[in-house]
C-alpha cells in the first residue's frame, strides 16, 4: 500500500467568526496525483496552507510523515522588475543548492537554456517551469502545485500536465494540484477532490465528472465547453520555436 504522506481528519477552520472549512477529510499518498477543484471562495487556499503546515486547524487532526520533504509551486510570484536576477540565482535563493543541482532540474523541466537569462524576461510558460524546478530542488516526497498552468496556453498546459505526471512516475512523489482547468486536468490526475468549504465529492475523474454535486457547481462538460482540436506536423518548445518537424 502506498505510504501516507499527509492526512487531515475532521478539520474545521474559521477566521473572524467566518467558517472557511468544515469537516474536511483528506489523505495524500506517495505516487498519487490529487487535484483540488472548487469555485472561488471555496477554501482551496486555506486547505493548501493546512497541507503545508502553515495554518493550524481550529479543530480536527493533521498528520504528516516524519521529516516529510515538500516542494511547493506558488500560484504567482512577484519579482521586482529592476532587480538584477538570473534564473540560476533565483533558484539558488531557494536554499543551498549547487550549480550542478540547479542545472539538473532546469534540464528536467525543459528550460536549461534559460539558466543565465534574467528571470524577468522569461515567458509565462517558461516561468511556470522555473517555479516547478524550484520545487523539485528539495527532492520532494510531496509536490504541492497551486494553479501550475496559470498563464499558459492550452498546448502548453497539456505539456505541463504531462511533465508533472512523468516526474511523479520517475520519483514516486505524491502530488497535490489546485486547478480551475477542470476539463483538461481530469486527464492528468488520479483522484479529484471537489471543495466548497467542505468536501462535496471525491473520487476518480470518471466518477466525479458525473457526480450531482460536481455538476451543480460546474455544469456538464459537453454542454459548457467546446474544445477545438487539431494536429501539427511539428512541435514547439516552451519559447514557441519549432523544435522538430516531418514531411507530410
Amino acid at each position: 500500500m502506498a505510504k501516507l504522506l499527509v492526512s487531515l481528519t475532521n478539520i474545521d477552520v474559521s477566521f473572524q467568526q467566518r467558517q472557511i472549512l468544515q469537516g474536511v477529510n483528506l489523505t495524500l499518498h506517495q505516487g498519487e496525483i490529487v487535484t483540488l477543484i472548487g469555485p472561488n471562495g471555496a477554501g482551496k487556499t486555506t486547505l493548501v496552507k493546512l497541507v503545508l503546515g502553515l495554518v493550524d486547524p481550529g479543530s480536527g487532526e493533521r498528520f504528516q510523515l516524519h521529516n516529510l520533504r515538500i516542494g511547493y509551486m506558488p500560484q504567482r510570484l512577484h519579482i521586482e522588475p529592476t532587480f538584477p536576477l538570473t534564473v540560476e540565482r533565483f533558484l539558488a535563493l531557494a536554499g543551498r543548492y549547487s550549480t550542478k543541482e540547479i542545472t539538473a532540474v532546469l534540464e528536467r523541466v525543459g528550460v536549461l537554456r534559460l539558466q543565465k537569462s534574467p528571470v524577468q524576461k522569461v515567458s509565462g510558460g517558461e516561468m511556470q517551469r522555473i517555479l516547478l524546478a524550484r520545487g523539485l530542488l528539495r527532492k520532494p516526497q510531496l509536490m504541492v502545485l497551486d494553479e501550475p498552468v496559470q498563464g499558459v496556453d492550452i498546448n502548453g498546459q497539456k505539456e505541463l500536465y504531462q511533465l508533472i505526471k512523468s516526474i511523479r512516475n520517475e520519483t514516486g512523489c505524491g502530488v497535490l494540484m489546485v486547478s480551475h482547468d477542470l476539463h483538461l486536468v481530469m486527464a492528468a490526475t488520479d483522484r479529484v477532490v471537489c471543495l466548497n468549504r467542505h468536501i462535496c465529492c471525491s473520487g476518480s475523474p470518471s466518477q466525479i465528472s458525473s457526480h450531482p454535486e460536481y455538476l451543480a457547481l460546474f455544469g456538464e462538460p459537453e454542454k459548457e465547453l467546446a474544445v477545438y482540436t487539431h494536429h501539427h506536423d511539428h512541435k514547439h518548445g516552451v519559447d514557441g520555436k519549432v523544435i522538430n518537424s516531418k514531411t507530410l
Side-chain angles (χ1 to χ4, degrees), residues 98-192:
S98 67
T99 300
K100 182 179 179 180
E101 290 173 305
I102 290 170
T103 298
V105 294
L106 287 174
E107 184 173 23
R108 180 63 192 88
V109 301
V111 289
L112 179 58
R113 59 187 175 74
L114 299 174
Q115 188 164 353
K116 303 296 183 181
S117 300
V119 73
Q120 297 90 342
K121 299 295 184 181
V122 303
S123 71
E126 290 167 343
M127 189 62 192
Q128 294 306 99
R129 289 177 182 249
I130 291 165
L131 291 174
L132 180 58
R134 185 173 180 265
L136 289 174
L137 279 169
R138 291 180 55 82
K139 296 180 174 59
Q141 296 160 287
L142 174 66
M143 284 289 292
V144 178
L145 313 175
D146 194 353
E147 297 285 354
V149 298
Q150 181 175 265
V152 181
D153 66 33
I154 191 165
N155 289 323
Q157 290 177 28
K158 292 176 182 176
E159 289 184 0
L160 264 174
Y161 284 136
Q162 186 56 49
L163 175 61
I164 291 164
K165 183 179 282 190
S166 68
I167 288 169
R168 183 280 306 269
N169 292 344
E170 289 173 12
T171 67
C173 69
V175 179
L176 173 65
M177 286 196 289
V178 180
S179 181
H180 284 102
D181 303 288
L182 305 179
H183 309 292
L184 275 179
V185 80
M186 288 298 196
T189 190
D190 300 312
R191 179 160 54 101
V192 179

Side-chain angles (χ1 to χ4, degrees), residues 7-127:
S7 69
L8 305 175
T9 307
N10 295 324
I11 296 291
D12 291 340
V13 177
S14 297
F15 292 135
Q16 298 178 343
Q17 298 183 328
R18 176 172 171 263
Q19 188 144 46
I20 308 300
L21 295 173
Q22 180 179 17
V24 168
N25 295 287
L26 177 69
T27 57
L28 300 173
H29 291 87
Q30 186 179 39
E32 183 182 30
I33 298 178
V34 177
T35 298
L36 179 66
I37 62 174
N40 291 333
K44 298 188 298 295
T45 298
T46 300
L47 186 54
V48 166
K49 288 179 179 179
L50 280 163
V51 170
L52 294 172
L54 301 177
V55 170
D56 292 325
S59 63
E61 296 183 0
R62 177 186 181 277
F63 165 82
Q64 175 180 303
L65 183 70
H66 181 62
N67 290 330
L68 179 68
R69 297 187 306 277
I70 301 178
Y72 175 57
M73 179 179 174
Q75 184 177 137
R76 61 179 63 89
L77 193 64
H78 175 73
I79 299 174
E80 174 58 44
T82 60
F83 192 64
L85 188 67
T86 65
V87 169
E88 181 177 352
R89 179 59 180 156
F90 169 71
L91 293 181
L93 291 173
R96 295 182 177 180
Y97 301 111
S98 67
T99 300
K100 182 179 179 180
E101 290 173 305
I102 290 170
T103 298
V105 294
L106 287 174
E107 184 173 23
R108 180 63 192 88
V109 301
V111 289
L112 179 58
R113 59 187 175 74
L114 299 174
Q115 188 164 353
K116 303 296 183 181
S117 300
V119 73
Q120 297 90 342
K121 299 295 184 181
V122 303
S123 71
E126 290 167 343
M127 189 62 192

